[in-house]
Structure formats: structure tokens, C-alpha cells
Amino acid sequence: MSGIIGIFAFDKVWKASRFIYYGLLALQHRGQETTGMAIGGETGINMYNGAGLVDQVYNENILEELNGWYGIGYVGALPRENQPSLVREGDNEVALVLSGRIFNEAELAREEQVKHWSNQSELLARLILKKSRGDDLKSAASEVMRMINGVYTFIAINNKEEMIVARDSTGLKPLVAGSFGFDYGVFASESCAMDVIGADYKADVNPGELYYLNQYTVERKQVLKPNPKYCAFEYVYLARPDSRINGVWVYEARRRIGEILAEKYSIDADVVTGIPETAIPFALSFSNKRGIPVELGFVATGRKTRTAIKPSQFERLVGVQLKLNPIKPVFRGKRVIIIDDSVVRGTTTKNTVTLLRNKIGAKEIHVLIGSPRLVSRCPYGIDVPSEDELIARHLNDDEVAKVVGADSFHWISLDDLVKAIGVPRNKLCLKCFGG
Amino acid sequence: MKVLIVGGGSREHAITYAFAKSSYEPRIYAISPLRNPGIEKLCKESGGELIRGDILNPEKVSETAEKLGVDLVFIGPEEPLFHGVSDALEERGIPVIGLNSKASEIERSKAFMRRLMWKYKIPGRLRFKAFRSIEEAIAYINEYAESVAIKPARQVGGKGVKVISDVQAYLRKVKEEVKKKHTELIYEKFMRSHDDVVDKILIEEKVEGPEYTVQCFTDGKTVKPLPIVQDNKHAFEMEMGPETGGMGSISGRGGLLPFITEDEFKESVRIIEEVVKALRKETGTSFRGIISGQMMLTTLWGPTIIEFYSRLGDPEAVNVLPILKTDIVDISEAILSEKLHKIRIYFEDYATVVKAIAPRGYPNRKDLARGHVIRVNEEKIKRMGAEIFYGSVDIVNGKLITGGSRAVEIFAKGDSIEEAAEIAEKAVSYVESLDGWGLFHRSDIGSGVSLRRMIEMANLVRSVYSYRKSKGLFGKQIDWIPGRGKIGYEF
Ligand SMILES: Nc1ncnc2c1ncn2[C@@H]1O[C@H](COP(=O)(O)OP(=O)(O)O)[C@@H](O)[C@H]1O
Ligand SMILES: [Mg+2]
């Protein structure tokens, strides 16, 4: 998991670093382990990266020193994945951020005799640097796009005042384009980053499309034939609810998920509540549809870390326990419906249900999940745990209910999820749900 | 009959085209600094010629007109108007379509325009401040952090405007810095060379909404609108990139645009009428020519003035003149005899799209954009059902050389804007760069996606201004400033 952003000002009076900083804050939910940015300006490309959250890694001085009017930024969920990658050869520099996964690393490396690379973004940066031979970044990028076997979005800059932006033919990873007045163009994994920096969302980058920007042109090129396979998990869980990706408002997809759950499962209850933060829209729309009151059931402690994308199982547990404190009067003596976004091992759900029943005294506990059964690893870099850790792969709904101690337990069906998203099924990637 | 066209760009090519269609079969002359091949050809075919000359020199232009013995002069661009070319022609008794220099102040000085609208309480005005020095402007920027448009206070040919929305407190500092630097840039780069106005920098409130241009013929009393046109100012696709003179424009059937209602159109014309009236009073002159409102539909007023043109727009002129049915000579005569109210002006009922093609480097580095060889396949363009209008190009040794600005404009018409856009888009490929430097245009202009975005934006703006109107808040704004209390602005 990761989030990327690129900003290109057409007027050099602008300082890109601050806009990238706030854009990264908006993308923080896509990765909380490392962050970095590379800024191009009069003195070439300057880079800074570090481990931690965006507002921990940078400070005023750092942003001030990252001087320049175009740049790229990254937030990632893997502890040692340092991006951007900045590579040099003679006078030429290329910096690149990648969100996605490449499957033919070795083959790509052989093609341009790249010997060392510490991660895939560095490999791509080296390839593009070599292929462009100091100029023609655009053709180099389109060639590299044609060579890659993988799913990805990447943004690269060089020290010649150029930027390229690419999305693979599946469009599995989201990427949107926008602008700010006459002053700059901006690209980001999610549209919420545009809102936060005050830019206007214009459109999604098409699957297979390449943007090339310099001071004199913005060119769009359909390098690869589009074959959309948009990630369904984005709509259920990954993206921020105030984002719009692939032309669909994430919030609307989530609202429909809640409505469908309400239509499908006519459970009687006194109160419905969503597990913060992702599942709250499910609970709201469920309540609106069924007339069962919705309540705030849990309060988080500490930072808003996201449990499913924390790197280790241990941290996942700690993260959750620290995070969610039930509000006792909401549950005491009540028949409750709890809606969550996904279940991996069932451990957290079990802890929550046990707590609500044994310590707080909920009368009935029904669990609904806004995603279909999670049964498969994501081959494209979403950090879903390995398959033997996935409870849905091994147990049916009744068995899960027993394990977690709930009165009933249901997932949304795959068909219903597709309906809720509103994108034709053949244009969605549903691999982790077994689709 | 003999006419003289002043100016040598796409707009003037379109004006020439309209005269070439006239049933009076006038002999057409043109005076232009560059050899525009389109104008030159039409002049020759009519028995006239294109004369290279300085169009900013009132003496030279009026002398040429007198020598040629023309019956009518039509001035295309604004700078000759500012320089008094129209005045000089009138002095010699030569009939001229083109506002006199006093009236063209409505375009030349944006500060004059804003003051006039406030003085006469004309709807569609914006709050503004004009500054004579950098220091004054910077002091103001220091005091107020707001969403603003910062502009050269004089018309400098469609550049130098920076629009900064400033609502995120955390980005205020960066933006304040840019506002200041841009103010300095306006002063140094755009205004130093123009010492003909006292106000140098204009800061006005930023508004948002779809833009459109209402071009009008005027005899100083009556105002007769042409079909409404929308120009697209951003250099690049998806409304990205720096401000240009306009990269392409659209007009819809029935003289309207899909995102502007008939009422809004009428209200826009009414604003222009009031400005014409005020301008007559203020200048004490009568004037004959064109006046155009470059407008925006805003939540504040609905139709709102961004700036005025004392001429036809470029590219907007290229949308409407090719579908003009009424004879341009008859229109000119009605203007000159102040009988514009007596005639009706007809247009073919088509949607039109104009796409400008510019050499790379335009608009910010015209030095790089200049001097490149291009080729135009006129026949193929015609066969597509499109027309070409030449802009910033010259003929040197038989070759077509870019002048640094928009080189050519492609015109197409159809039953819908999208249909016309498709034709224009195809025709664009018949304009090529021969030296590998490269040309660019905007493929998104007139596309369904872009039209839908405009409609969506207009609907939003419309619902807000209608609401404000119903609450009696039209042209009013109430702010609260800490330490100063509640401030109500009565527009
Ligand atoms: N007050 C404003 N609020 C928002 N946008 C503006 C404002 N004034 C100008 N603009 C934008 O800047 C562009 C250029 O401004 P304009 O006053 O027309 O100057 P120019 O002489 O350069 O054409 C307009 O087309 C519009 O898009
Ligand atoms: Mg303008």
C-alpha cells in the first residue's frame, strides 16, 4: 500500500514542497511507515525521506530547504521501502515514486543492464534514466510502460524540468489529475489530496495513459490499451470516503453497501454501530434504511492508524486494542448490530464481541461485514495476510459466528458488492474476494 | 466599394472573410505587421491587397486609408484603438468601425472599468482595489489574506493575471509570498513598458464559475449581441497550464450555450447596455464599433463582468463571423449611421467550435515559439468541412513561419458542439510542424466531458445566486472582521 503525489508548477515562483506535504497528509491513510519527497528546481533535484508519519518526518526547515517548483511525494506501508528513488548518471537525474508491483524485475533489469536496485521504484528510475539518455523522458517512459509486467502508477521527474505520470492498463491503482488555476497541475492517488491543497479535481488518469509535462506542454498519450480492473478493495476499505476514484465517489459506494446489508439481513436490533472509521458510513446508511438508531459505539485512542495495513500481526493487535474503546451505555442491555469493513483472522472481532457481551452486557450481538469473504492474498501489493490466516477461507458464516461469539455473522456477497460500487463486474479486480 | 481591415490575426482573417462574402463585393485591403496568408489571399481575390505596416501609428494608418480612398475601415485588435487610430480616421472623415480612444478605455484600463461600474451601480461588478505602486499593493496583501485575482491594471494582451484561491490557512504563507512576487512581476514585466496609465496593479475578489463572452455591435446607443461564445484560457488539456489569449472556443445553437440560460444571456446584454450608456456619459463622446463583455456566471450576481473588450474576441470572432448571415456591410452602415436599432442580425443556426494551434513555448516563451516552419493542408481541412483562419504566422521565402503566438485557428460547425468539435479535432492533424519543434492544441475543448463539467458548474452557481436573489442578498456581502466588527458591502 502506498500513496503518491506529483505537482508541476507552470510558474517558478511557487514552492512545491508545502503543497506536497499537505497532499501527503491527505494520503497518509495509504501508508504510515515511510514518507519522502523529491523536489526539482534551480539546483537540480533535492530529496528527503524518513520513517514515520508525514507530520513527524518533515518540519519547517526541511520544507523550506526543499526548494523548487515541481516535485513528487510518497507515503508507504512497508518499513524499509524508501521512496522516492533518486538516481544519477553524469549530469542527469531522475526521481520516481511508484505505487504498485512489478512482476518482471529481472527481465527489465537485464534489458538495460541495471545491476543494483534496492527497490522497484529505483529499478524503474534507473530504466527511465538510461532509456532517456538525458533527454526524451516521454519516449523513455512509454517504452518502460510497454516493457513492464505489473500493476502500477508512477510519477517521475528529472532535473530538466520535466514530469511524467503513468498508470498501467488495468488502472488497478487509483490516480487522478487536477489543477490549481493557471499555476500548477497535480496528480495524486486520491482526489482528497486535491481538496486538501485547494486544487480542482479534473479527471482520472485513464488506464494505460501517460502524461508528460514541461513548461511548454502537457501531453497525454494512451500508451497501453485500457483493460480496466479497478481494485474493489479501494471502495470497501482503502480509499478515503471523501475521495472520488475511477469516477465513483467512495462514500457513495460505502453508503450503498450499508443499504444492501440492511435489505439483505432483516435482523431485529435496538442499535446499530460501525467500527471506526471505515465502517461508520455502512452503519449510517444501514440505520437510515432500516430505522434502527445508529450510535457512536467506539472511541479511538492515539493516532488514526489503520489496522489492516500495519505491517505485522502483532502491531495489528496492539493497534486495535489501543484504538477502540467501547462506549458502554450504547451497548448495555441492548441487542446490537456491529458493522465492520473486513475480517482477516477474526481475532479483533472476537475480542470486541467478548468485551461487549461479557464486560458490558450486550444482550445480542450481530456482526455484519461490508466486504465479501476475504479469501485470497492480493497479488498486487495490498497487504492482506497470508491465506492460512484468513478465517473466511476456512469457515462458513455460522462457524465464524461461533468462533467470534456472535449471535449471527454475515458478509456482503460478491454480487452485492459489485452492485454497490456500480462499476461493471468485468472492470473490477475481485481477486482477494475470490472473484 | 473599398474597405480596409486593420490587423493581421485570426480575428482579422475572420473579419476579412465576412467582407469577402458581402454582396457588395467590396475590394478588400488590409494593413498588418505580418503577411497573413489567409487575409492576403482574400484581399487579392477581391482585387485589393495586404499592406505591411505599423497598425499602431494613427497617422500612417489613416494616411493609407485616405490614399486608398476606402469607404470603410474595420479595426480588429485593441491596441490600435488605444493608440487613437479610430480617432485619426474620424478626423479625416473616414468611416470607421472601432471605438475611439476614450471609449476604448473600458478595455485598456481595468481600473477605469471597475470604477465606472461602481459609479453607475451597474450589476455584475466586483470589489477591487487599484494600486499605483508596488508598496501600496504589498501593504494591502500583508493586511488581507483573501482569494484574489491579481492583474496588470491595463490590458496587456491576455497575460499577467494570477488567480489565487486562498482558503486553507495552512497554505496562506506560501500563497502570500507568491502574491507579492507576482505583484512585483506585474509591475516590472508588464507595466514598466506601459506608462500610459496611472494605475498599475489591480487586486479584485476572486469569483468562480463558467466563463463566456458576449460580443456586441454598438453604435454608441444600441447594443446588438452576437451568439454567445465560450473561450478556454488555459494553455493545456484538462484546464491545466498558464493563461493564454484563448486556446479555443465554442458556441451553441440558437445563439446560446448549453450552460447559460436565455435569461442570463439577456441579463448579460443588459449589463453591457448600461455600460455603454455610462461610457457615453462619462466620455462625452459617441462611439461606433464593438463592445464585448468577458463574463462569468457567479454566485454573487449570476452574470458578472471579468473584463471588457472594445473589439471582437480572438478566437471568439472566429466562431461567429463565419455563420453571420446578415451582410457585414449593412451592419457596418447601420452602426455608422447610428441606426443599429433598425436592423436585425441573423446567424446560421449551427453550433461552432474553434481550436487554436500554437507552437510549443507559447504563451510564456514566445521567443522559443517564434520562427518555426509549419505546413497547412488547406484542401484536406476544407474537405473535412472545416475552415482555417491564420493567426500569428508570416510568409518568408514562400514558407509559413510561426510568429510566436497562436499560429492558426480551425473553425468547424455542426448540429451540436460535440459534433463540431470532432470535425475540428480531425482537421487539426492537417497542420504540421516541419522542423520538429512541435505544435500543441487542446483536444478537450467542446468534448462531452468538458461540456458536462461546465453544465454541472453552472447549475451549482445558478442555484446559489438564485437563492441569494430570493433572500434579497443580491449584490450584497456581509463579513465580520475581528476588531472591526460586521461589515456589510452594498454593491
Ligand atoms: N476576479 C476573478 N476571479 C476569478 N477569476 C478571474 C478573475 N479575474 C480574472 N480571472 C481569470 O483570469 C482570466 C484573465 O483575466 P482577465 O481580466 O480577462 O485578463 P486578460 O486581460 O489577461 O484576459 C479570466 O479569463 C479568468 O479566467
Ligand atoms: Mg480576458
Side-chain angles (χ1 to χ4, degrees):
Chain A
M1 267 300 282
S2 48
I4 59 176
I5 183 167
I7 285 181
F8 192 95
F10 301 103
D11 181 345
K12 299 182 182 178
V13 298
W14 289 99
K15 274 195 176 143
S17 61
R18 269 163 227 274
F19 292 90
I20 291 181
Y21 172 81
Y22 287 104
L24 288 177
L25 271 182
L27 297 174
Q28 184 79 80
H29 61 287
R30 301 188 71 86
Q32 296 161 331
E33 292 300 316
T34 67
T35 176
M37 67 171 92
I39 308 290
E42 302 301 345
T43 56
I45 299 177
N46 289 299
M47 188 169 71
Y48 190 86
N49 47 27
L53 296 168
V54 172
D55 61 357
Q56 298 168 330
V57 169
Y58 309 96
N59 61 37
E60 272 299 303
N61 289 339
I62 294 165
L63 293 177
E64 197 58 38
E65 271 166 35
L66 287 168
N67 228 319
W69 39 270
Y70 63 111
I72 51 180
Y74 175 85
V75 286
L78 296 174
R80 274 165 300 279
E81 177 86 2
N82 280 319
Q83 288 201 40
S85 291
L86 172 59
V87 297
R88 295 195 171 87
E89 202 174 84
D91 290 339
N92 302 318
E93 298 179 329
V94 168
L96 184 142
V97 285
L98 163 74
S99 175
R101 187 158 286 186
I102 314 289
F103 300 121
N104 57 340
E105 271 185 84
E107 184 191 325
L108 292 175
R110 221 177 302 124
E111 161 89 15
E112 284 289 332
Q113 278 131 45
V114 178
K115 296 267 161 26
H116 309 284
W117 63 97
S118 51
N119 59 38
Q120 296 193 329
S121 68
E122 185 182 330
L123 174 62
L124 290 192
R126 289 203 182 283
L127 277 176
I128 288 171
L129 178 69
K130 288 200 169 209
K131 282 217 174 287
S132 67
R133 308 246 175 319
D135 57 55
D136 210 355
L137 190 66
K138 187 178 32 165
S139 314
S142 12
E143 269 183 65
V144 168
M145 278 176 83
R146 286 198 196 92
M147 283 160 53
I148 298 177
N149 171 10
V151 296
Y152 57 85
T153 54
F154 68 79
I155 309 178
I157 55 171
N158 64 9
N159 56 343
K160 306 258 167 64
E161 312 188 352
E162 295 174 296
M163 176 183 273
I164 47 167
V165 181
R167 192 180 187 195
D168 80 287
S169 61
T170 67
L172 195 116
K173 303 283 175 192
L175 191 63
V176 294
S179 69
F180 179 85
F182 295 123
D183 288 284
Y184 59 76
V186 49
F187 299 84
S189 296
E190 286 183 39
S191 65
C192 64
M194 314 249 163
D195 299 334
V196 167
I197 61 176
D200 294 319
Y201 159 91
K202 295 290 175 187
D204 289 81
V205 176
N206 288 331
E209 194 174 33
L210 175 76
Y211 275 73
Y212 166 80
L213 294 88
N214 67 20
Q215 286 282 307
Y216 317 124
T217 44
V218 172
E219 288 170 32
R220 297 165 66 185
K221 195 167 148 194
Q222 194 66 48
V223 176
L224 306 171
K225 199 166 155 266
N227 174 27
K229 288 279 173 223
Y230 302 127
C231 172
F233 207 51
E234 291 281 351
Y235 293 101
V236 177
Y237 182 78
L238 298 176
R240 248 171 71 155
D242 51 343
S243 283
R244 178 187 190 172
I245 53 180
N246 308 314
V248 176
W249 286 103
V250 174
Y251 184 79
E252 284 186 334
R254 289 191 189 156
R255 183 169 58 200
R256 285 193 291 264
I257 287 174
E259 286 168 358
I260 289 172
L261 286 173
E263 281 162 14
K264 283 276 150 96
Y265 303 108
S266 51
I267 305 158
D268 245 342
D270 304 315
V271 59
V272 53
T273 181
I275 306 280
E277 290 181 42
T278 321
I280 287 175
F282 302 152
L284 294 175
S285 57
F286 184 98
S287 163
N288 287 341
K289 189 93 193 168
R290 284 283 304 281
I292 298 175
V294 62
E295 301 264 11
L296 179 68
F298 302 88
V299 174
T301 300
R303 284 180 175 274
K304 298 186 213 158
T305 45
R306 306 197 74 193
T307 41
I309 54 172
K310 266 280 178 192
S312 79
Q313 183 68 15
F314 175 72
E315 281 175 274
R316 199 175 293 134
L317 281 175
V318 173
V320 166
Q321 280 167 3
L322 192 62
K323 215 169 107 174
L324 294 177
N325 189 34
I327 302 175
K328 295 182 180 70
V330 171
F331 300 104
R332 186 161 294 149
K334 303 268 177 64
R335 296 171 299 161
V336 301
I337 296 172
I338 291 172
I339 310 187
D340 204 350
D341 47 39
S342 63
V343 170
V344 179
R345 275 180 55 173
T347 329
T348 19
T349 316
K350 184 178 182 138
N351 290 345
T352 309
V353 172
T354 310
L355 186 66
L356 293 184
R357 200 187 291 279
N358 298 356
K359 290 247 158 102
I360 300 174
K363 236 167 46 192
E364 278 176 35
I365 302 166
H366 303 271
V367 179
L368 294 176
I369 306 298
S371 72
R373 287 179 186 80
L374 205 53
V375 293
S376 222
R377 276 204 76 116
C378 172
Y380 307 125
I382 310 291
D383 196 39
V384 175
S386 70
E387 290 173 359
D388 49 328
E389 279 189 90
L390 299 171
I391 194 167
R393 203 180 161 86
H394 301 279
L395 305 181
N396 68 28
D397 288 5
D398 284 346
E399 291 169 327
V400 177
K402 287 199 183 103
V403 170
V404 302
D407 293 271
S408 73
F409 183 97
H410 297 286
W411 311 81
I412 195 172
S413 74
L414 197 54
D415 287 346
D416 283 338
L417 176 70
V418 172
K419 207 157 67 179
I421 296 171
V423 169
R425 187 176 187 135
N426 62 358
K427 292 204 164 87
L428 286 172
C429 174
L430 299 157
K431 284 210 166 89
C432 59
F433 304 127
Chain B
M1 176 181 200
K2 284 183 189 171
V3 299
L4 174 67
I5 314 291
V6 177
S10 303
R11 169 185 43 215
E12 290 73 32
H13 186 175
I15 295 168
T16 313
Y17 179 95
F19 276 102
K21 278 198 315 193
S22 165
S23 60
Y24 296 87
E25 297 183 10
R27 190 179 282 201
I28 309 168
Y29 295 87
I31 178 162
S32 152
L34 299 179
R35 260 181 78 192
N36 180 311
I39 298 177
E40 185 166 55
K41 186 157 164 255
L42 291 173
C43 286
K44 279 196 181 137
E45 283 169 4
S46 76
E49 64 175 319
L50 182 149
I51 301 151
R52 288 184 86 137
D54 178 6
I55 58 171
L56 302 185
N57 186 328
E59 275 317 298
K60 288 249 171 68
V61 176
S62 53
E63 213 178 274
T64 309
E66 199 163 64
K67 263 198 212 137
L68 291 169
V70 298
D71 306 285
L72 173 70
V73 180
F74 200 118
I75 301 177
E78 65 277 14
E79 283 296 337
L81 304 175
F82 303 162
H83 281 77
V85 170
S86 190
D87 311 43
L89 286 159
E90 279 189 346
E91 244 162 62
R92 291 185 196 238
I94 302 168
V96 51
I97 302 292
L99 263 47
N100 64 43
S101 59
K102 278 197 177 132
S104 69
E105 192 70 1
I106 194 72
E107 168 167 15
R108 185 175 71 154
S109 166
K110 295 185 190 200
F112 168 83
M113 179 274 284
R114 289 272 174 239
R115 286 193 190 109
L116 186 81
M117 289 189 74
W118 278 88
K119 181 169 170 192
Y120 290 85
K121 291 215 168 299
I122 299 169
R125 55 196 186 272
L126 295 177
R127 284 177 286 178
F128 76 102
K129 277 198 178 337
F131 304 95
R132 298 179 176 200
S133 71
I134 295 184
E135 294 72 30
E136 282 175 74
I138 293 212
Y140 178 79
I141 292 169
N142 276 333
E143 196 174 340
Y144 297 103
E146 289 168 53
S147 295
V148 289
I150 306 180
K151 314 179 172 187
R154 183 196 193 276
Q155 171 63 268
V156 296
K159 44 185 184 274
V161 175
K162 200 173 272 303
V163 184
I164 297 184
S165 93
D166 188 358
V167 284
Q168 292 86 7
Y170 46 87
L171 289 169
R172 195 145 279 167
K173 237 182 72 192
V174 210
K175 289 179 178 172
E176 189 179 300
E177 224 169 278
V178 169
K179 285 177 189 172
K180 288 181 191 168
K181 281 194 185 146
H182 188 70
T183 301
E184 282 164 20
L185 180 98
I186 289 178
Y187 196 88
E188 299 298 339
K189 188 167 161 199
F190 298 112
M191 295 307 291
R192 264 225 196 287
S193 52
H194 291 296
D195 49 12
D196 55 353
V197 288
V198 287
D199 298 301
K200 303 292 182 191
I201 294 146
L202 194 77
I203 300 184
E204 62 185 27
E205 66 184 304
K206 179 196 176 250
V207 277
E208 239 171 309
E211 293 189 68
Y212 57 96
T213 312
V214 179
Q215 309 175 95
C216 303
F217 292 114
T218 183
D219 56 8
K221 295 187 174 118
T222 305
V223 157
K224 279 271 158 96
L226 287 75
I228 184 168
V229 180
Q230 181 185 52
D231 182 20
N232 287 269
K233 293 286 176 194
H234 290 271
F236 310 132
E237 301 276 304
M238 327 272 305
E239 280 138 40
M240 257 187 229
E243 184 198 1
T244 68
M247 288 305 293
S249 43
I250 60 175
S251 74
R253 290 184 59 178
L256 288 172
L257 283 165
F259 42 88
I260 300 292
T261 65
E262 188 140 10
D263 281 348
E264 285 158 356
F265 180 48
K266 281 188 187 142
E267 172 63 11
S268 306
V269 175
R270 213 171 59 77
I271 291 172
I272 298 170
E273 276 166 354
E274 284 195 39
V275 166
V276 164
K277 208 156 112 196
L279 196 57
R280 204 168 61 228
K281 214 159 156 196
E282 199 66 17
T283 63
T285 68
S286 60
F287 44 86
R288 287 157 293 275
I290 314 282
I291 186 159
S292 313
Q294 192 202 308
M295 320 204 52
M296 191 186 272
L297 201 67
T298 73
T299 56
L300 202 57
W301 287 104
T304 305
I305 293 292
I306 296 296
E307 69 164 336
F308 269 100
Y309 303 153
S310 47
R311 33 104 192 163
L312 293 166
D314 188 356
E316 294 98 317
V318 180
N319 288 83
V320 293
L321 291 178
I323 56 167
L324 175 63
K325 278 210 298 210
T326 310
D327 200 307
I328 186 118
V329 172
D330 289 335
I331 299 171
S332 302
E333 253 152 31
I335 294 172
L336 292 166
S337 57
E338 297 185 357
K339 294 214 167 62
L340 196 53
H341 60 287
K342 290 224 165 122
I343 66 163
R344 286 201 65 174
I345 300 173
Y346 294 94
F347 292 86
E348 292 172 55
D349 192 19
Y350 280 117
T352 70
V353 169
V354 175
K355 294 205 175 200
I357 303 174
R360 242 161 20 94
Y362 175 77
N364 287 341
R365 292 294 302 276
K366 291 194 182 155
D367 54 321
L368 298 178
R370 195 172 297 136
H372 300 283
V373 193
I374 62 168
R375 181 169 61 199
V376 172
N377 191 334
E378 279 193 31
E379 208 159 290
K380 283 260 173 61
I381 292 170
K382 284 233 168 74
R383 219 178 299 150
M384 298 261 2
E387 298 265 356
I388 183 150
F389 290 88
Y390 289 89
S392 169
V393 284
D394 202 357
I395 304 175
V396 183
N397 303 324
K399 282 191 185 129
L400 211 48
I401 308 288
T402 61
S405 190
R406 296 158 293 173
V408 299
E409 287 167 21
I410 302 281
F411 162 90
K413 60 186 182 189
D415 287 333
S416 69
I417 292 173
E418 279 135 297
E419 189 187 309
E422 243 170 72
I423 298 170
E425 187 59 29
K426 282 188 193 138
V428 163
S429 59
Y430 297 114
V431 180
E432 294 168 276
S433 154
L434 288 187
D435 62 359
W437 172 251
L439 299 164
F440 71 95
H441 77 286
R442 278 184 53 182
S443 68
D444 59 334
I445 292 172
S447 69
V449 175
S450 135
L451 287 177
R452 279 192 292 278
R453 189 159 55 228
M454 294 296 166
I455 291 169
E456 199 179 308
M457 185 170 23
N459 284 341
L460 187 70
V461 168
R462 189 169 298 124
S463 72
V464 178
Y465 85 68
S466 308
Y467 163 83
R468 288 173 53 86
K469 200 170 182 178
S470 74
K471 292 271 166 191
L473 287 170
F474 225 33
K476 288 200 186 98
Q477 184 97 0
I478 300 156
D479 288 343
W480 182 80
I481 298 173
R484 282 178 54 192
K486 201 171 94 176
I487 296 180
Y489 294 95
E490 283 283 346
F491 279 75

